[in-house]
Amino acid sequence: MSSSTTGITKQRGSTSFDGRSQNRVGWAMLTPAVLLLLVFIVIPVVLAFGLAFTDAQLISTKAMSFTGLSNFQRLFSDPTFWRALLNVIVFSLVVVPLQAGLGLFLAILINKKVRSSVFFRTVYFLPVVTSMVVVSLLWMFIYQNNGMLNVLLEKVTFGHWTPVDWLNDSRVALAAIIVMSIWQAVGQHMLIWLSGLQTIPGELYEAAALDGATGWKSFAHVTWPCLRSTRNMILITITIAAMGLFTQISVMTQGGPRDSTTTVVFEAVRSGFQQQEMGYASAITLVFFILILVITGIQRYLTREK
Amino acid sequence: MNIRHSRSARRIKNNGDHVTIAGWIIRLAFAVLFAFPLIFMVVSSFKSDGAIMNDLGSLKSFLPIGDLSLENYQQVFSRVPVMTFLMNSVVITLITVVLGIVVNSMAAFGLSRLRVKGRAVIFTFILATLMVPFETYAIPLLWWVNQLPGIAIDQFGPYFTQGWIDTIYVQIIPFIANAFSIYLYMQYFDSIPKELDEAARVDGAGWFKIYSRIVMPLSGPATATVVILSFLPMWNQYVWPLMVVQSESHRPVMIGIQYFQQMTTSWGQIMAYSSLITVPIIIVFVLFQKQFVNSIASSGVKG
């Protein structure tokens, strides 16, 4: 039918002609996006592989040369890199379950059809709207020696609290950043959990209630199994975001004190941008890239459909 | 309406939509936890540094009482070119969002409505770019844009330069194409009946006309989602401008505040700058919170 109608408007109209014109127009429409994705994502990813084996500088007068594995040798013998890796792993191991768990708790808390739920949902989401740079500055004030947290703890303990310089104490600096990071992003994951919760049909809860399952039991037997795909997605998005930890570090601690808060991305930006060593930074990037691939691969394997 | 629904539902369902007293206390406690640092930020921006420290540890920290003034804001404006930073951020965000709508919706139209040879390959390619977090290629991207020929303009007109570093466009162009926006548009376009295209073809309309006059005007909700999901990350961007911007005239607000924080020890002024770049976004969010929540919830992707 469609070929006969196009035949009226176009003299030479036929399915094959229309197909060819669709192909041409389609490509014309696809080209800008495909070109931009190629130039600004695919080429840089490929470049990471190439540059990692050179001594490329950001701004350089001499031509770069192939240096084999020397960037990786230097990287793997650098204690700062290992510390950065350890910090990122610790950060992720703590943030992923806590943020996901708290997000789910908040989602269940406000998954009620009462008017106030919209208000609470909005309030819990406010930190997500706020830029991480602003959040970091705000929490620098909260965490400083005579800042809000120490003053509050002094009041609560009636003066028995000795102030802690949270961000300048290598024992607690990473923990301080973890708490702030969870505070900032938990609202995001609350929303995703919430959309998952709302896809669970009410009849399932009614059936469970008839079998005597309420409260914790209905959560364990209805809610949790039904959230499988939401759970997998949240797991992967939080892990990737946690591994990429950078802004908080850049604004609040610059990796210190004594490398206790440095991260892989922070080290990459420091060597690539501040010290202009693109080859070395690309080696860090490449290791990071492979790490992300391996971790998301493992997560996908563990959460696959059985 | 919701309340009436919940009342009738409560009798049937065991997990009724009522909130217990303990539930109320927990909900309020979290509201305090999430809102009060931000309230503190805005309130402190009107106080002197001395007053901020004096009020600490009491409820006064969160209440606009005492000597309030716009002194901090005046100081911020006199010390750094905030208007330039704001303009830069507005221009960068607006252009990226608008060009993103055009480029990504066109690509989605090509994939969703037209018989393109190699469609499956292109679609897989686009989705694959979604899997790569920006942090993993930011550094090689920095090297790469520094190799590209750039354009600068002086009083004699435009001329070629080496590298895109320290320009406005290097903050825009890499972020226009977005696999997720393409995907969202595709899903929406698929729900619009193809009979509309055929009818328009009969009337002699070309594909570009069908795209711009029929499909796009019907895709308001998809566009709203794309705007929301691309607006926030662009406004809040930090890593990339930190690396590519050197001069004050190209600085966006997030980089501006970091420089500002390094030159002052006044918390009142830092809070004033923070409020200046946060409160407008929060107001927009509260006004459009329903659309915000729907887009982010349906996408499940970082905003």
Side-chain angles (χ1 to χ4, degrees), chain B residues 19 36 55 69 104 109 146 159 165-166 220 244 278 284 295:
Chain B
V19 182
F36 271 43
D55 291 349
S69 73
N104 297 315
F109 186 87
N146 200 39
Y159 60 96
I165 304 295
D166 207 24
V244 296
T278 307
V284 171
S295 339

mmCIF file of all heavy atoms in Angstrom, chain B residues 19 36 55 69 104 109 146 159 165-166 220 244 278 284 295:
data_model
loop_
_atom_site.group_PDB
_atom_site.id
_atom_site.type_symbol
_atom_site.label_atom_id
_atom_site.label_comp_id
_atom_site.label_asym_id
_atom_site.label_seq_id
_atom_site.Cartn_x
_atom_site.Cartn_y
_atom_site.Cartn_z
ATOM 1 N N VAL B 19 1.067 6.405 57.405
ATOM 2 C CA VAL B 19 2.397 6.563 57.961
ATOM 3 C C VAL B 19 2.278 6.509 59.477
ATOM 4 O O VAL B 19 1.502 7.244 60.075
ATOM 5 C CB VAL B 19 3.023 7.903 57.523
ATOM 6 C CG1 VAL B 19 4.430 8.025 58.065
ATOM 7 C CG2 VAL B 19 3.029 8.009 56.003
ATOM 8 N N PHE B 36 19.127 20.642 55.984
ATOM 9 C CA PHE B 36 19.714 21.673 56.830
ATOM 10 C C PHE B 36 21.093 22.169 56.415
ATOM 11 O O PHE B 36 21.355 23.364 56.529
ATOM 12 C CB PHE B 36 19.658 21.243 58.306
ATOM 13 C CG PHE B 36 18.375 21.672 58.961
ATOM 14 C CD1 PHE B 36 17.161 21.536 58.298
ATOM 15 C CD2 PHE B 36 18.372 22.242 60.218
ATOM 16 C CE1 PHE B 36 15.983 21.945 58.880
ATOM 17 C CE2 PHE B 36 17.192 22.662 60.816
ATOM 18 C CZ PHE B 36 15.987 22.515 60.141
ATOM 19 N N ASP B 55 26.937 31.703 65.904
ATOM 20 C CA ASP B 55 25.660 30.991 65.887
ATOM 21 C C ASP B 55 25.826 29.475 65.813
ATOM 22 O O ASP B 55 24.879 28.724 65.996
ATOM 23 C CB ASP B 55 24.816 31.447 64.680
ATOM 24 C CG ASP B 55 24.357 32.880 64.846
ATOM 25 O OD1 ASP B 55 24.510 33.406 65.969
ATOM 26 O OD2 ASP B 55 23.854 33.462 63.870
ATOM 27 N N SER B 69 22.812 41.035 55.997
ATOM 28 C CA SER B 69 23.122 42.045 54.976
ATOM 29 C C SER B 69 23.518 41.362 53.680
ATOM 30 O O SER B 69 23.749 40.147 53.639
ATOM 31 C CB SER B 69 24.264 42.930 55.448
ATOM 32 O OG SER B 69 25.472 42.213 55.399
ATOM 33 N N ASN B 104 20.771 14.769 18.514
ATOM 34 C CA ASN B 104 20.382 13.448 19.007
ATOM 35 C C ASN B 104 19.009 13.021 18.499
ATOM 36 O O ASN B 104 18.787 11.852 18.207
ATOM 37 C CB ASN B 104 20.428 13.421 20.534
ATOM 38 C CG ASN B 104 21.830 13.642 21.056
ATOM 39 O OD1 ASN B 104 22.784 13.055 20.558
ATOM 40 N ND2 ASN B 104 21.971 14.507 22.034
ATOM 41 N N PHE B 109 15.757 9.766 14.846
ATOM 42 C CA PHE B 109 14.790 9.676 13.748
ATOM 43 C C PHE B 109 15.322 8.752 12.659
ATOM 44 O O PHE B 109 14.608 7.879 12.153
ATOM 45 C CB PHE B 109 14.501 11.068 13.181
ATOM 46 C CG PHE B 109 13.417 11.095 12.144
ATOM 47 C CD1 PHE B 109 12.088 11.221 12.527
ATOM 48 C CD2 PHE B 109 13.711 10.969 10.793
ATOM 49 C CE1 PHE B 109 11.070 11.241 11.585
ATOM 50 C CE2 PHE B 109 12.700 10.986 9.837
ATOM 51 C CZ PHE B 109 11.379 11.125 10.232
ATOM 52 N N ASN B 146 43.824 19.044 22.151
ATOM 53 C CA ASN B 146 44.958 19.963 22.038
ATOM 54 C C ASN B 146 45.695 19.790 20.718
ATOM 55 O O ASN B 146 46.478 20.639 20.318
ATOM 56 C CB ASN B 146 45.915 19.747 23.213
ATOM 57 C CG ASN B 146 46.821 20.937 23.425
ATOM 58 O OD1 ASN B 146 46.358 22.069 23.281
ATOM 59 N ND2 ASN B 146 48.075 20.694 23.733
ATOM 60 N N TYR B 159 41.095 33.412 12.978
ATOM 61 C CA TYR B 159 42.302 32.765 12.460
ATOM 62 C C TYR B 159 42.481 31.412 13.130
ATOM 63 O O TYR B 159 41.914 31.155 14.183
ATOM 64 C CB TYR B 159 43.527 33.653 12.694
ATOM 65 C CG TYR B 159 43.802 33.960 14.150
ATOM 66 C CD1 TYR B 159 44.717 33.212 14.876
ATOM 67 C CD2 TYR B 159 43.145 35.002 14.796
ATOM 68 C CE1 TYR B 159 44.967 33.479 16.215
ATOM 69 C CE2 TYR B 159 43.378 35.270 16.126
ATOM 70 C CZ TYR B 159 44.286 34.512 16.831
ATOM 71 O OH TYR B 159 44.512 34.775 18.154
ATOM 72 N N ILE B 165 42.302 24.151 23.593
ATOM 73 C CA ILE B 165 42.377 24.501 25.006
ATOM 74 C C ILE B 165 42.009 25.974 25.207
ATOM 75 O O ILE B 165 42.327 26.819 24.384
ATOM 76 C CB ILE B 165 43.808 24.238 25.534
ATOM 77 C CG1 ILE B 165 44.218 22.794 25.283
ATOM 78 C CG2 ILE B 165 43.918 24.574 27.016
ATOM 79 C CD1 ILE B 165 43.421 21.761 26.024
ATOM 80 N N ASP B 166 41.344 26.232 26.337
ATOM 81 C CA ASP B 166 40.979 27.579 26.738
ATOM 82 C C ASP B 166 40.049 28.280 25.749
ATOM 83 O O ASP B 166 40.301 29.406 25.325
ATOM 84 C CB ASP B 166 42.237 28.434 26.966
ATOM 85 C CG ASP B 166 41.957 29.545 27.967
ATOM 86 O OD1 ASP B 166 41.021 29.383 28.775
ATOM 87 O OD2 ASP B 166 42.665 30.571 27.929
ATOM 88 N N GLY B 220 7.269 16.286 22.753
ATOM 89 C CA GLY B 220 7.530 17.168 23.893
ATOM 90 C C GLY B 220 8.025 16.451 25.140
ATOM 91 O O GLY B 220 9.047 16.852 25.711
ATOM 92 N N VAL B 244 40.583 22.249 30.860
ATOM 93 C CA VAL B 244 40.709 22.959 29.576
ATOM 94 C C VAL B 244 40.611 24.467 29.674
ATOM 95 O O VAL B 244 40.860 25.160 28.688
ATOM 96 C CB VAL B 244 39.669 22.462 28.534
ATOM 97 C CG1 VAL B 244 39.909 21.008 28.178
ATOM 98 C CG2 VAL B 244 38.258 22.691 29.012
ATOM 99 N N THR B 278 23.520 27.944 43.254
ATOM 100 C CA THR B 278 22.733 26.761 43.611
ATOM 101 C C THR B 278 21.251 27.055 43.713
ATOM 102 O O THR B 278 20.424 26.289 43.220
ATOM 103 C CB THR B 278 23.235 26.182 44.956
ATOM 104 O OG1 THR B 278 24.635 25.978 44.859
ATOM 105 C CG2 THR B 278 22.546 24.881 45.283
ATOM 106 N N VAL B 284 14.255 26.016 40.206
ATOM 107 C CA VAL B 284 13.803 25.361 38.976
ATOM 108 C C VAL B 284 13.414 23.917 39.275
ATOM 109 O O VAL B 284 12.368 23.422 38.832
ATOM 110 C CB VAL B 284 14.905 25.405 37.888
ATOM 111 C CG1 VAL B 284 14.526 24.550 36.691
ATOM 112 C CG2 VAL B 284 15.157 26.831 37.452
ATOM 113 N N SER B 295 11.656 11.907 34.827
ATOM 114 C CA SER B 295 12.736 11.647 33.873
ATOM 115 C C SER B 295 13.829 10.823 34.505
ATOM 116 O O SER B 295 14.318 9.875 33.912
ATOM 117 C CB SER B 295 13.381 12.926 33.356
ATOM 118 O OG SER B 295 12.561 14.005 33.516
#
